[in-house]
Amino acid sequence: MNDFRCNKCHKLLGKYRDCLELEIKCPRCGSRNSLAQKLKNENEREKELCLASIEKRRG
């Protein structure tokens, strides 16, 4: 299971498994948090790390 935390204050909002879309308003700070956006950001970060690793190997 993965933690789903607020992007602003990092409060644990819940845990999820195999979820493609989820939106929760944080009860602490009121920020709206979207799992779809979080997954998109994580995938972009993984892609950047992979490309950096490839470039590092090349030279």
Side-chain angles (χ1 to χ4, degrees):
M1 304 250 325
N2 298 312
D3 288 351
F4 183 51
R5 294 188 175 271
C6 176
N7 293 326
K8 188 173 181 182
C9 71
H10 305 290
K11 176 178 174 51
L12 180 63
L13 301 174
K15 293 186 177 265
Y16 66 92
R17 180 184 322 131
D18 300 330
C19 183
L20 297 177
E21 193 171 330
L22 177 66
E23 184 175 291
I24 299 177
K25 183 177 178 183
C26 179
R28 182 188 290 166
C29 71
S31 176
R32 293 202 178 269
N33 297 272
S34 171
L35 180 61
Q37 183 63 40
K38 180 181 176 184
L39 292 175
K40 181 180 176 186
N41 290 342
E42 287 176 0
N43 288 339
E44 288 175 3
R45 202 171 316 135
E46 286 179 21
K47 190 187 301 182
E48 288 173 5
L49 290 173
C50 184
L51 290 173
S53 176
I54 290 170
E55 288 180 19
K56 188 175 181 180
R57 288 183 201 157
R58 288 183 182 169

